Amino acid sequence: AFAKLELANRRREGLPPYTRMVRIILSDPRMTKLQAAAADLARRIEELLFKRGIKAKLLGPQAARIPRLRDVYRYDLVLIFPAATALLAAMDLFKSEGTLRVAARNVVVDVDPVSLQ
């Protein structure tokens, strides 16, 4: 009964497994540098996806659920795509355009994350 209700809610809200998700986690020991890098990345992603006609919903940037880990601050962006083809097109585009090169110390891309922690 739980699974049936949860799947119905996920379908209605446009969440996986009915869509595809990418979580981009940025980290840096300096919060101001991290916030600026995350805002810049979000702006560039939105512009690029719009320009290429790739449909996606961008959530963030926002402080990660665990905002500081081992003296390093963390921010994340979540992209929700309607289908795998859109996700793959976006990831290919990000790679070819160098979109994920940011001023933050570290960037991790998690496709279809198991957790948003």
Side-chain angles (χ1 to χ4, degrees):
F2 170 78
K4 188 175 181 179
L5 179 62
E6 184 65 19
L7 287 172
N9 287 337
R10 286 174 171 267
R11 181 187 300 265
R12 185 179 64 252
E13 297 298 324
L15 295 172
Y18 302 102
T19 57
R20 300 295 300 270
M21 184 181 285
V22 173
R23 180 179 183 215
I24 304 170
I25 307 156
L26 292 82
S27 58
D28 198 274
R30 292 179 293 181
M31 176 62 91
T32 54
K33 181 180 175 184
L34 178 62
Q35 289 172 326
D40 181 57
L41 179 59
R43 180 190 52 75
R44 289 187 292 137
I45 285 173
E46 281 184 322
E47 288 175 0
L48 193 55
L49 293 177
F50 178 76
K51 189 185 304 182
R52 298 296 172 93
I54 299 172
K55 294 187 184 234
K57 181 178 181 180
L58 174 63
L59 306 174
Q62 66 235 350
R65 300 269 196 273
I66 301 173
R68 191 170 178 194
L69 189 62
R70 290 183 227 109
D71 294 324
V72 176
Y73 296 99
R74 299 167 7 114
Y75 258 62
D76 66 17
L77 294 94
V78 175
L79 288 158
I80 301 174
F81 296 91
T85 53
L87 182 151
L88 293 171
M91 296 311 293
D92 286 343
L93 186 59
F94 295 164
K95 185 176 179 180
S96 69
E97 297 285 326
T99 306
L100 299 177
R101 287 190 211 124
V102 296
R105 176 185 283 176
N106 194 26
V107 177
V108 174
V109 177
D110 188 0
V111 176
D112 290 330
V114 173
S115 169
L116 295 178
Q117 298 276 337

